[in-house]
DNA sequence: GTCTATATGTTGATAGAC
DNA sequence: GTCTATCAACATATAGAC
């Protein structure tokens, strides 16, 4: 039975790889032609496959978008997680996470638009995909609470207002950069270069009265 | 000759009205189906007109988008101008203008997406339309300089950084509100309700050291 | 899981009669 | 300026042979 098992294994591995290839192609298409330019036909074309065959992997165009949304979430999660690893809780993690997120968005504009704007009429991420999105928000909330609890920030940082303003600042930088200078790198972009200053502005609002050195910039 | 003149007058007035009707219809379509859902066919359909006839008014789909972009600029300009009228220069105008802009964006999501995001692949506003956009930025720059010159804000407010951060904050609120709660009113939206707090955050960054009462909230 | 064939729909844009 | 007619693409999705 060993050979049967390994054959099935190879089969599913091959299938998984085809799916990844399809998502790669889809990302490229969105990068080149905008999110609205994505189509099953074009993805199939780039895979050297007939369009109906692609339906064996994605049951509809919406399903393809959902897979891309999920991929975007996983990628941002990985980028943020890697960036905050071994950093102390609170402000340092919030700062590093925000920077990582902005860099990722500038370098992956296609997926970023899918995550941060609403470019596809009628498309909403599925329930489970959306749940993952909520988890990310919960992480931010936790770090804000840690910052408030440890005195790095005022108690007001552990509120909904602070959480929402955090997302406002991040999405503001990302939106302006992607809309006005789509091609620029994170280092060169007129808006993405202001990432640290934007975060300074945000954290200053919740800085403790005393003015400690709780928020050292790297 | 009087009757000829007035006939031509009526003709051009009628033409202008048809164009306005077409733009109204286009706005409605974008509101209902997203910016990408706009098509010449659907606009013509709603006007009770055959699709080829619409080409007498707009030479292409891109031309229609450009007219919509220009309309959006004119509308925001009118909203902002009305809001800052009779307000003293500097911070009061910056605050009132930003509020008016955010309110307008929430109430006109279709045009706002066209102005603040980049939802149409391959579409860029024409040179003259884009020039109007630059004019609006120049106005903000002027008010920031006025605020810095009169001591309402620190000298740092008269820099590119301050100008860009101003747009970051505004577009951040707008983007988050439109992407996450598309239907909500300005008063009810979780993000648009934070407009004043977001502006507080911004102006605090450029507040003079002394801490004057130069930034009274309405 | 791949293919061919096909149904069915949409679009942008042009030609030319009236 | 309006219409009919039409072209040429393009799309999503399904049926069914192999």
């Amino acid at each position: 039975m060993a050979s049967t098992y390994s054959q099935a294994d190879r089969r599913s591995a091959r299938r998984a790889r085809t799916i990844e290839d399809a998502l790669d192609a889809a990302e490229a298409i969105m990068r080149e032609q905008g999110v609205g330019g994505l189509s099953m036909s074009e993805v199939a074309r780039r895979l050297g496959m007939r369009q109906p065959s692609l339906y064996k992997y994605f049951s509809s165009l919406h399903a393809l978008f959902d897979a891309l949304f999920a991929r975007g979430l996983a990628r941002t999660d990985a980028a943020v997680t890697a960036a905050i690893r071994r950093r102390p809780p609170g402000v340092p993690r919030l700062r590093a996470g925000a920077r990582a997120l902005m860099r990722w968005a500038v370098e992956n504009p296609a997926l970023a638009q899918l995550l941060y704007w609403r470019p596809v009429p009628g498309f909403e991420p599925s329930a489970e995909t959306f749940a993952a999105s909520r988890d990310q928000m919960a992480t931010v909330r936790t770090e804000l609470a840690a910052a408030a609890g440890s005195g790095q920030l005022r108690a007001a940082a552990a509120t909904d207002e602070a959480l929402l303003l955090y997302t406002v600042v991040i999405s503001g930088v990302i939106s302006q950069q992607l809309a006005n200078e789509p091609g620029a790198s994170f280092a060169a972009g007129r808006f993405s270069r202001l990432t640290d200053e934007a975060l300074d502005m945000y954290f200053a609002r919740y800085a403790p009265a005393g003015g400690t050195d709780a928020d050292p910039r790297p």
Side-chain angles (χ1 to χ4, degrees), chain A residues 34-175:
Chain A
V35 174
L38 180 64
S39 71
M40 298 286 276
S41 312
E42 182 63 22
V43 172
R45 209 169 290 133
R46 299 203 183 190
L47 291 187
M49 180 187 275
R50 300 294 164 174
Q51 176 245 14
S53 307
L54 194 56
Y55 281 80
K56 292 288 178 184
Y57 301 95
F58 303 96
S59 64
S60 72
L61 181 61
H62 264 56
L64 175 57
F65 272 118
D66 203 57
L68 285 166
F69 197 98
R71 172 184 261 205
L73 276 179
R75 292 267 168 91
T76 57
D77 207 48
V80 169
T81 300
I84 71 179
R85 201 189 320 161
R86 293 170 186 271
R87 298 217 180 221
V91 171
R93 282 193 193 161
L94 287 165
R95 204 180 264 278
R99 272 188 67 94
L101 194 54
M102 291 186 191
R103 173 181 290 275
W104 180 89
V106 168
E107 292 171 354
N108 300 269
L111 288 183
Q113 285 179 37
L114 201 56
L115 291 179
Y116 296 107
W117 293 350
R118 194 165 282 236
V120 184
F123 165 70
E124 299 220 11
S126 65
E128 42 189 336
T129 310
F130 196 73
S133 176
R134 280 188 61 100
D135 287 351
Q136 291 193 5
M137 284 284 276
T139 305
V140 176
R141 193 189 290 274
T142 301
E143 291 302 330
L144 280 170
S150 66
Q152 291 171 20
L153 298 178
R154 287 188 294 119
T159 60
D160 276 352
E161 179 206 276
L163 178 64
L164 295 176
L165 273 186
Y166 183 79
T167 70
V168 160
V169 170
I170 293 179
S171 93
V173 175
I174 292 175
S175 288

